[in-house]
Amino acid sequence: MDLSPSAGELPWLSLIVLLPLAGALLLAVLPPRAQGAVRWLALGVLIADLALMLLAFSRHFDPTVGSLQLVERISWVPAMGLEWSLGADGLSAPLVLLSGVITLLTVAASWTVERKPRLYFALLLAQASAQAVVFLSQDFLLFFLAWELELVPVYLLIAIWGGSRRQYAATKFILYTATASLLILVSGLALAFSGDHFTLNLSELTARSASGTFGLLCYLGFLVGFGVKLPIFPLHTWLPDAHGEANAPVSMLLAGVLLKMGGYALLRFNVQMLPEAHLILAPALIVLGIVNILYGALNAFGQDNVKRRIACSSVSHMGFVLLGIGAIDALGLSGAMLQMVSHGLIAAAMFFFTGVFYERTKTLSIPNMGGLAKALPITFACFLASSLASLALPGMSGFVSEITVFLGLTESDRFTLPFRVVCIVLAAVGLMLTPVYLLSLCRRVFFGPRIPALAVVGDMRPRELLIGLTLLVPTMVIGFWPRVAIDLYEASTDALAGVLGQTALVALTRATVTG
């Protein structure tokens, strides 16, 4: 095994990845008499896993270095060229930490789940391992296996513990994501076979810098494959259905972690591995981002289900990730990363608080709710705070991330001034629609005439309040002190922007010589 920084170090990343899986296997063999301990066991495993992440990234990870660190490589299946290859940089470390926090809070939010608890919590732990491998893998086949395997727990979590149309939503989710994965596999294998020798190592694939028509085709394959999970319009239609039928903790996982896998993969594969193709297709990404922002915002107005409205809001907000990636400068890439972290916290909070008042009211229909502010004052305050963060109120993380994306697009010299102005104006229109549909949601749910059946309901319990504050406090900390998040990834986004700049210079020189 190759370990960094020295051979005496523990395999930190492998421990982070394998601990939740070991916990899931332990739950599977737990005797019937110990069923009451499944929640505590799952919670304890994820607390230990988060502690490992904090220890590894605080003591053994240097955020000022833009290259891979904590690298571990083992030849796993030599006949296939498959390696157990893990590594962390600024693109992966913040998202690994985000996934650790969100998954831990998902288990805490699932404390009242009574139906098949052993299977439920085992699936959450298995999902934690799979998503960590997605963010840390440095071998394409390992990445793809984890990308596919994490679909199974999500499918089952929706299909078994979802709402009345759970089978439809779960089937739609798996069909969209599994079909799109075929494009990821074909594009990745095409790159693996394209050089002098076959390789699945991501660093070696990046060094090949595929260009021309071949590079563009691979880029488009990755874009569609990863765009389903981001999600990019029109590949997004599974998302409102999945959120509408999933229970609140699973929605936290979907919005907080799974959507970020799409954004991370675009940065890792499309931008880092295929910079020449990215320079050509970056304007298309910006246009798609604008469409996401406007369509998601406008579609949110037509939703009378609270979770479906928030899901459409996620489609809109992930459009800013596309804008930042398409801006092809350091500030834009930084904004895209910050938007993923920020949205992960905010969306998870909104879905959690929605679950809190669903447990009390047993409805998500906006017309069937009203006057809940007096019955649930603490829940109302928390939901309003998360809504203000989502609409980019200054002082919250949503404002910092979205203004960074705007500035990145404004300062980018890769596009003409009219193009930038039109894009910024259209994105601003989408941004202005956000407070309208979110504050309208708050008004209709928490104010207005009180529905007698909902007049007396209990407010948040201490456990629920602790979960909510764990999500809300970081959004305010990042809002007032964004460097706490930016410092984790800035070296990597700067290095990525440098690669794009160098690629653009080479392309310009080549065109000049040819001309």
Side-chain angles (χ1 to χ4, degrees):
M1 179 186 290
D2 241 351
L3 289 178
S4 178
S6 67
E9 286 286 352
L10 289 173
W12 292 103
L13 301 186
S14 292
L15 291 174
I16 290 169
V17 165
L18 296 176
L19 180 59
L21 183 60
L25 295 175
L26 181 59
L27 285 180
V29 299
L30 207 63
R33 63 178 179 274
Q35 292 298 303
V38 294
R39 294 169 179 80
W40 289 105
L41 179 60
L43 188 69
V45 167
L46 290 177
I47 289 174
D49 199 45
L50 182 59
L52 277 175
M53 295 177 190
L54 294 172
L55 187 62
F57 292 132
S58 63
R59 293 192 177 183
H60 306 283
F61 179 81
D62 184 357
T64 63
V65 176
S67 56
L68 286 174
Q69 302 175 59
L70 300 171
V71 177
E72 305 168 19
R73 292 181 67 179
I74 300 176
S75 181
W76 189 6
V77 185
M80 298 174 58
L82 175 61
E83 292 184 328
W84 179 263
S85 180
L86 304 176
D89 62 4
L91 300 182
S92 55
L95 299 177
V96 171
L97 289 170
L98 176 69
S99 68
V101 171
I102 299 297
T103 310
L104 172 61
L105 296 179
T106 298
V107 167
S110 302
W111 216 252
T112 57
V113 170
E114 297 295 339
R115 185 183 182 190
K116 300 180 179 179
R118 180 166 63 170
L119 176 60
Y120 180 89
F121 289 102
L123 290 173
L124 289 180
L125 290 175
Q127 173 68 19
S129 282
Q131 64 201 22
V133 175
V134 167
F135 292 130
L136 294 171
S137 175
Q138 298 304 315
D139 180 276
F140 172 73
L141 192 53
L142 180 62
F143 168 88
F144 181 77
L145 290 174
W147 183 273
E148 289 294 280
L149 289 174
E150 59 86 20
L151 301 179
V152 178
V154 178
Y155 169 80
L156 293 174
L157 288 167
I158 297 173
I160 298 175
W161 290 273
S164 58
R165 300 178 72 242
R166 58 185 180 273
Q167 296 294 339
Y168 168 79
T171 303
K172 190 172 183 179
F173 164 77
I174 202 72
L175 285 176
Y176 269 65
T177 50
T179 303
S181 295
L182 293 176
L183 292 173
I184 299 173
L185 180 61
V186 170
S187 299
L189 291 180
L191 287 172
F193 281 104
S194 65
D196 296 332
H197 66 283
F198 175 81
T199 182
L200 294 166
N201 185 273
L202 296 189
S203 297
E204 295 180 18
L205 293 177
T206 300
R208 290 182 176 178
S209 299
S211 59
T213 303
F214 174 72
L216 287 172
L217 289 174
C218 291
Y219 187 99
L220 290 172
F222 284 137
L223 180 62
V224 175
F226 299 137
V228 168
K229 194 167 284 187
L230 186 65
I232 299 175
F233 174 89
L235 308 172
H236 70 287
T237 57
W238 63 270
L239 185 64
D241 290 312
H243 276 304
E245 298 305 318
N247 65 12
V250 175
S251 286
M252 291 170 62
L253 197 64
L254 279 170
V257 182
L258 263 73
L259 303 190
K260 311 309 170 288
M261 291 181 182
Y264 165 80
L266 285 177
L267 288 170
R268 180 68 72 194
F269 288 83
N270 291 66
V271 181
Q272 187 176 59
M273 196 175 292
L274 300 165
E276 187 172 316
H278 181 63
L279 290 172
I280 296 171
L281 294 175
L285 255 65
I286 292 176
V287 172
L288 288 172
I290 296 295
V291 172
N292 258 50
I293 293 168
L294 292 174
Y295 174 84
L298 292 171
N299 200 27
F301 283 101
Q303 305 299 324
D304 280 334
N305 179 291
V306 177
K307 290 178 71 179
R308 290 181 69 93
R309 182 171 290 202
I310 299 172
C312 291
S313 172
S314 292
V315 174
S316 180
H317 284 93
M318 293 307 288
F320 285 96
V321 175
L322 287 174
L323 282 188
I325 294 174
I328 54 177
D329 70 346
L331 197 56
L333 293 172
S334 177
M337 279 295 300
L338 190 58
Q339 176 70 353
M340 284 194 281
V341 173
S342 171
H343 180 265
L345 295 168
I346 294 169
M350 295 191 73
F351 281 114
F352 171 71
F353 295 129
T354 300
V356 169
F357 63 73
Y358 174 75
E359 283 191 7
R360 274 74 174 172
T361 63
K362 301 304 177 186
T363 182
L364 291 170
S365 174
I366 297 173
N368 293 333
M369 286 186 278
L372 288 179
K374 291 185 179 180
L376 303 170
I378 300 176
T379 305
F380 161 65
C382 292
F383 187 86
L384 180 61
S386 61
S387 298
L388 293 175
S390 183
L391 60 84
L393 182 76
M396 309 290 268
S397 61
F399 173 80
V400 181
S401 60
E402 291 178 9
I403 199 67
T404 304
V405 170
F406 273 113
L407 291 174
L409 185 56
T410 302
E411 295 184 5
S412 178
D413 58 358
R414 309 291 182 185
F415 313 104
T416 63
L417 181 60
F419 178 80
R420 282 180 283 165
V421 170
V422 170
C423 291
I424 290 168
V425 169
L426 291 175
V429 170
L431 192 60
M432 289 186 290
L433 292 173
T434 308
V436 180
Y437 65 74
L438 284 180
L439 295 180
S440 170
L441 170 65
C442 291
R443 176 183 60 80
R444 295 175 65 185
V445 170
F446 292 101
F447 295 100
R450 298 181 68 184
I451 297 174
L454 307 180
V456 180
V457 289
D459 209 344
M460 296 178 71
R461 293 181 283 271
R463 171 183 61 84
E464 295 169 325
L465 182 59
L466 179 61
I467 295 170
L469 291 178
T470 304
L471 291 166
L472 285 176
V473 170
T475 67
M476 292 184 283
V477 171
I478 294 173
F480 283 100
W481 186 28
R483 297 302 311 184
V484 72
I486 294 173
D487 284 345
L488 279 174
Y489 62 76
E490 189 173 41
S492 292
T493 52
D494 285 349
L496 199 53
V499 170
L500 291 172
Q502 185 177 5
T503 303
L505 182 61
V506 170
L508 179 62
T509 304
R510 187 188 306 144
T512 303
V513 171
T514 304

